Amino acid sequence: MRPNNFAMKEWHLEHVERVIVRFIKGISPDASSFEKRNYKKYSTVSSCAKQIEYDIKHGVTTDEVLNVVRRIRHEKQFRDLQQSPESVQRLDELERQISAPKKVATTWY
């Protein structure tokens, strides 16, 4: 019997997909002021990357995240996102952010 270190890995993988799709879609033109305020506050590249890093800490690998990005680029299910140039630009920006090497903090003694 193997221990399950990451019991909610599947949920975190689904969360990665939801976060990426929400970021790429953007905001609707008829959004309320509350939705606009939340979008401005929480839907930046850095906040999206932070949410993805949180999921990576809980068992999702970077390769799985990049596979989700590839699926969004190529599957028919996401055709409406693939046709919008703004969405593709956001997806490219997010992919660069995810695949960039992370800075390692060093302590000075």
Side-chain angles (χ1 to χ4, degrees), residues 22-66:
R22 183 176 54 222
F23 172 71
I24 292 172
K25 273 187 182 178
I27 192 166
S28 68
D30 60 340
S32 67
S33 61
F34 176 74
E35 290 172 331
K36 289 178 185 176
R37 186 174 61 234
N38 276 342
Y39 182 79
K40 184 178 178 181
K41 187 174 183 180
Y42 297 113
S43 294
T44 61
V45 177
S46 60
S47 68
C48 186
K50 284 179 187 177
Q51 291 179 7
I52 292 171
E53 287 173 12
Y54 174 80
D55 292 323
I56 289 173
K57 287 180 184 178
H58 288 85
V60 177
T61 64
T62 307
D63 290 336
E64 290 172 333
V65 173
L66 293 176

Side-chain angles (χ1 to χ4, degrees), residues 13-104:
L13 189 57
E14 292 171 9
H15 183 254
V16 165
E17 183 177 331
R18 286 193 310 264
V19 165
I20 292 173
V21 169
R22 183 176 54 222
F23 172 71
I24 292 172
K25 273 187 182 178
I27 192 166
S28 68
D30 60 340
S32 67
S33 61
F34 176 74
E35 290 172 331
K36 289 178 185 176
R37 186 174 61 234
N38 276 342
Y39 182 79
K40 184 178 178 181
K41 187 174 183 180
Y42 297 113
S43 294
T44 61
V45 177
S46 60
S47 68
C48 186
K50 284 179 187 177
Q51 291 179 7
I52 292 171
E53 287 173 12
Y54 174 80
D55 292 323
I56 289 173
K57 287 180 184 178
H58 288 85
V60 177
T61 64
T62 307
D63 290 336
E64 290 172 333
V65 173
L66 293 176
N67 283 337
V68 169
V69 171
R70 283 187 211 105
R71 273 191 26 235
I72 291 172
R73 269 191 209 283
H74 300 294
E75 285 188 2
K76 291 180 182 179
Q77 175 183 355
F78 303 105
R79 182 74 58 198
D80 57 334
L81 297 175
Q82 296 163 1
Q83 293 174 348
S84 171
E86 296 88 15
S87 297
V88 173
Q89 182 182 4
R90 284 191 218 109
L91 186 61
D92 291 338
E93 188 177 352
L94 182 63
E95 189 173 15
R96 278 193 304 271
Q97 182 84 14
I98 292 169
S99 60
K102 306 294 180 225
K103 293 182 182 178
V104 178

Side-chain angles (χ1 to χ4, degrees), residues 3-12 58-59:
N4 189 0
N5 293 336
F6 299 109
M8 293 183 61
K9 182 179 176 180
E10 292 301 317
W11 183 89
H12 284 283
H58 288 85

